[in-house]
Amino acid sequence: MTPTYDNPAARLREVLLAVHGAFRTRQTQEPISSWLAFAQVLGVEQHSSAGLHAIAGVARLPDLVIEGIRALGEEPEEEEHLLLHLDGLQNAMASLIARNSLYQVFSVFAPGGEVPKSAAVHSLASAARVLHRTAPAHSMSDEDIARLEDLIVDLMREVSAAKLPPNASLLLLQHLQALLQSVQMVRIYGRDGVEVAFDAFVGAVLRRPETAEPLRQANLMERFREWVTTVNGIISVGTGAAGLGQQVMRVLGS
């Protein structure tokens, strides 16, 4: 099935299959750390703050699936069917947090560690389809993710090269780094995480209008407006995609 990054059931299924696929031939031959395996597949350093953030996000996904299914108000029999095996996945995530071996984690819900054949993964596929049908979310494509990464990195380079005052530079770079991390973690935290980080970035600049003058002096104000408009157009849905750049400029007095 096609990954739908804003559907927790689909996100969890994709991550489990990706980790199993990456370590399939090794997990029964040697005691591989589940923490290390998940961190490698997610592209983070296991002992870093990003690694902790990633593992914590994966561990919470079964809870989000349960919350999503219960919010649908399905008939009790259908809800029970959709929630079947979710307790096993919750237990598996507890085993992951305990840093047990990868085989131990998988064996909680997949006999013999065969994740693709497990009833839990098939149940996740069903839950993902129901959530997508009854509560459709606007997914973010791989192309959108790649474009956002490029836009964020480009602006970080420009801010670093502009020799802004330390307080202005630190404010911008910290929020840009947080936004970049949210984009890189979209397969775990979904589109909402990106929107929250973007809103925090824009809000921080608006709350600190003194940042505007250094941007003007560095001839970055128009670039900043265009950047905000472009990024907002990628991550926003409906009327939220229009006019934010102009609103930011008005608030900053430009």
Side-chain angles (χ1 to χ4, degrees), residues 123-138:
S123 182
L124 281 176
S126 298
R129 285 192 294 268
V130 171
L131 288 170
H132 186 67
R133 183 178 69 248
T134 58
H138 296 274

Side-chain angles (χ1 to χ4, degrees), residues 1 5 18 28 31 43 62-63 72-74 83 90 99 106 108 154 156 168 175 187 197 201 218 239 244:
M1 63 189 295
Y5 293 118
T28 58
D63 296 338
L72 296 178
E74 297 281 340
L83 294 178
Q90 287 177 311
R99 297 177 182 257
F106 283 163
V108 172
D154 286 347
M156 291 176 75
H175 280 280
R187 68 191 299 190
F201 173 49
T239 56
L244 181 61

Side-chain angles (χ1 to χ4, degrees), residues 10-186:
R11 294 204 299 270
L12 179 56
R13 180 179 181 275
E14 182 200 0
V15 170
L16 292 175
L17 291 174
V19 175
H20 176 268
F23 293 92
R24 181 176 184 180
T25 59
R26 293 175 54 198
Q27 63 172 327
T28 58
Q29 298 172 2
E30 55 184 290
I32 302 167
S33 161
S34 59
W35 196 281
L36 175 61
F38 275 79
Q40 286 188 4
V41 168
L42 296 172
V44 293
E45 166 56 48
Q46 63 170 328
H47 300 301
S48 66
S49 60
L52 294 172
H53 185 60
I55 299 297
V58 172
R60 188 165 179 258
L61 284 174
D63 296 338
L64 294 180
V65 177
I66 292 172
E67 291 172 10
I69 293 297
R70 287 178 174 164
L72 296 178
E74 297 281 340
E75 293 294 326
E77 295 80 5
E78 178 64 13
E79 180 178 293
E80 182 180 359
H81 171 72
L82 291 171
L83 294 178
L84 199 62
H85 307 296
L86 263 296
D87 57 343
L89 290 168
Q90 287 177 311
N91 292 335
M93 294 302 100
S95 183
L96 169 61
I97 293 299
R99 297 177 182 257
N100 291 327
S101 73
L102 183 60
Y103 184 74
Q104 287 175 307
V105 171
F106 283 163
S107 295
V108 172
F109 67 90
E114 286 298 321
V115 173
K117 299 177 182 179
S118 69
V121 164
H122 288 293
S123 182
L124 281 176
S126 298
R129 285 192 294 268
V130 171
L131 288 170
H132 186 67
R133 183 178 69 248
T134 58
H138 296 274
S139 60
M140 185 174 287
S141 69
D142 290 335
E143 291 75 16
D144 287 339
I145 294 169
R147 189 179 177 204
L148 283 170
E149 287 182 336
D150 289 342
L151 285 165
I152 296 166
V153 170
D154 286 347
L155 186 59
M156 291 176 75
R157 287 172 178 158
E158 291 183 51
V159 168
S160 297
K163 301 188 184 305
L164 301 173
N167 61 334
S169 180
L170 186 61
L171 175 74
L172 295 171
L173 291 175
Q174 283 181 334
H175 280 280
L176 285 169
Q177 181 59 43
L179 180 57
L180 180 61
Q181 185 182 70
S182 72
V183 171
Q184 294 169 338
M185 294 287 173
V186 73

